[in-house]
Amino acid sequence: MINLFLLGLPGAGKGTVSEQIVDKYHLTHISTGDMFREAMANETKVGLEAKSYIDKGDLVPDEVTAKLVEERLSQSDIKEGYILDGFPRTIVQAEALETITKRLNKPLTKVISLEVNEKILINRLSARFMCKQCGATYNKITKMPKLKDTCDRCGSHDFYQREDDKPEVVKNRLEVNEKMNTPLKDYYQANGLLTSVNGEQTPEKVFENVDAVLGNKQ
Ligand code: AMP
């Protein structure tokens, strides 16, 4: 069983590498960002509460986020393990996760940190765009849809730029997240779960490194 936390600043490639891991290891991908975006699109109570924070690039309060994750981790579809992407982002959340996963008997087994410098992140985020229909992520420089103006995953022709990928928000978002990342890395370094991977390489090379950390299962 692999229960993985993928750590990295926005734009580090967590979404892309998660897809590759899911393909090979059949883990359940749990992205709090995706869950919040879905909740906002459906205008649920959590979505409406989260929107005011997300649109500014701030973090949603810990209690709201931890509850969302606990509900998701409790569901029965997680058979081969999970990948957490975007959670925990604070030490309070890391501690909450420890309590939650202990209760559910699904403890973290690995933490991988994708390392990318800030200049590259800003370039990647401002070039990023999403499918309005299914949320698939593309990039004007590195990952255009295979067929012009058509989503690879769902075939939709409708794309948009995330509010929080707009240049005026990106800088605050990176700053907020960077401040939080260092203590998290220290936390997982201290308990022996952390491995760092160079996220500035091509997606194929990044996955090769991640795959090796996960045990290279055939
Ligand atoms: P992401 O797609 O991971 O960049 O998340 C988008 C936004 O959702 C973040 O900028 C936060 O506002 C919110 N969010 C996602 N995950 C968390 C979390 N673990 N704690 C607090 N806010 C979060």
Side-chain angles (χ1 to χ4, degrees), residues 31-47:
S31 153
T32 42
D34 285 351
M35 286 161 79
F36 280 132
R37 278 184 288 281
E38 196 184 326
M40 289 194 294
N42 294 331
E43 298 185 346
T44 64
K45 190 164 161 265
V46 167

Side-chain angles (χ1 to χ4, degrees), residues 10 31-34 36-37 53-54 57-60 62 65 85-89 93 128 162 164 173 177:
S31 153
T32 42
D34 285 351
F36 280 132
R37 278 184 288 281
Y53 300 96
I54 292 176
D58 289 333
L59 290 183
V60 178
D62 288 333
T65 314
D85 164 358
F87 180 93
R89 267 185 164 89
Q93 291 182 5
R128 180 157 84 172
R162 277 170 54 172
D164 59 353
R173 218 170 124 220
N177 281 283

Side-chain angles (χ1 to χ4, degrees), residues 205-218:
K205 199 85 197 133
V206 171
F207 182 63
E208 223 176 276
N209 293 175
V210 166
D211 197 16
V213 176
L214 297 181
N216 245 323
K217 190 185 85 168
Q218 285 312 308

Side-chain angles (χ1 to χ4, degrees), residues 1 12 15 28 38 49-51 72 91 107 121 126 175 187 195 198 218:
M1 172 82 65
T28 304
E38 196 184 326
E49 188 171 0
K51 187 171 167 41
R72 185 64 190 91
I91 294 295
L121 292 175
S126 18
E175 263 164 35
Y187 183 92
T195 310
N198 174 4
Q218 285 312 308

Side-chain angles (χ1 to χ4, degrees), residues 32-162:
T32 42
D34 285 351
M35 286 161 79
F36 280 132
R37 278 184 288 281
E38 196 184 326
M40 289 194 294
N42 294 331
E43 298 185 346
T44 64
K45 190 164 161 265
V46 167
L48 294 174
E49 188 171 0
K51 187 171 167 41
S52 55
Y53 300 96
I54 292 176
D55 283 352
K56 286 196 295 244
D58 289 333
L59 290 183
V60 178
D62 288 333
E63 320 79 72
V64 180
T65 314
K67 187 152 174 277
L68 192 78
V69 171
E70 176 154 23
E71 282 170 10
R72 185 64 190 91
L73 280 175
S74 308
Q75 288 168 15
S76 57
D77 62 327
I78 302 171
K79 298 215 167 65
E80 311 267 340
Y82 60 79
I83 311 175
L84 282 175
D85 164 358
F87 180 93
R89 267 185 164 89
T90 63
I91 294 295
V92 173
Q93 291 182 5
E95 288 167 351
L97 179 67
E98 219 164 306
T99 311
I100 294 166
T101 53
K102 214 174 251 169
R103 193 155 52 226
L104 298 172
N105 199 18
K106 293 174 183 162
L108 274 184
T109 57
K110 295 238 184 276
V111 176
I112 295 178
S113 171
L114 292 179
E115 303 288 334
V116 179
N117 89 43
E118 186 176 347
K119 246 205 194 120
I120 297 181
L121 292 175
I122 292 175
N123 284 340
R124 284 189 186 173
L125 290 172
S126 18
R128 180 157 84 172
F129 63 100
M130 321 268 294
C131 170
K132 210 167 192 170
Q133 191 80 25
C134 74
T137 305
Y138 297 95
N139 187 293
K140 283 180 206 154
I141 306 159
T142 55
K143 193 186 167 198
M144 287 296 280
K146 292 194 179 81
L147 203 68
K148 195 173 180 301
D149 297 330
T150 307
C151 177
D152 295 347
R153 199 198 282 168
C154 75
S156 157
H157 304 293
D158 219 358
F159 297 96
Y160 75 107
Q161 183 181 37
R162 277 170 54 172

